[in-house]
Amino acid sequence: MVLFHGCDKDVAESVLRGDATLQPSENDYDWLGNGIYFWVDSPERALAWAKLRRSSPSVVGAFAYPGNCLNLTDYGVMTELALAYEATVGISAAAGTPLPVNSVRQSGIFMKRQLDCAVIQLVHKIRESKGMDDYDTVYGVFEEGDLVYPGAGFRDKTHVQIAIRNPDMILGYFRVDGMT
């Protein structure tokens, strides 16, 4: 896969020199759970994201192998997510804690995905407890933004992302010209 990570220019240069590696995001609202987030096939989208959040925006390209991938575009995987959701409900009830919720709506889309993150993180824990192979990556399509035209089924910021949980799946990094 050809992937792109939006970050600060200092981070990009350090990674490209081999002095550092990209660090996994572990926010409780990360929609694909913990991992190093990349935009799939979209350096422009990675740069647009970095421009909103970094003082010196840049993009690092990467070649990666998805390995054992929790592919959220695969029809059969939704059963695994539904079971993890039911377990999340049970765990919250037993602990007497509120169930995480997806929040911060923009154009009808949840931007902060605490519930989705908790469910995906539990998928990983359930697999581990059953002695199943870990997922190396989590891959999904995120519909975001405004409708492209009235009545459209397309949104102007829809994108594909992958969260790499196993950094060994990153085969190498490359400089993306014009992405600073």
Side-chain angles (χ1 to χ4, degrees), residues 152-164:
F154 308 105
R155 295 184 175 270
D156 64 354
K157 292 183 181 176
T158 295
H159 57 272
V160 178
Q161 281 186 299
I162 190 166
I164 296 186

Side-chain angles (χ1 to χ4, degrees), residues 4 6 9 12 16-17 38 43 45 52 65 67 71 78 94 105 107 115 129 132 137 139 155 158 163-164 169 175-176:
F4 301 92
K9 187 174 183 174
L16 291 168
R17 282 192 312 269
F38 290 91
R45 187 67 171 96
L52 291 174
Y65 175 67
N71 183 344
M78 293 305 147
R105 282 183 173 254
S107 302
L115 177 60
S129 72
M132 299 171 73
T137 58
Y139 175 94
R155 295 184 175 270
T158 295
I164 296 186
M169 296 297 103
R175 183 175 306 282
V176 183

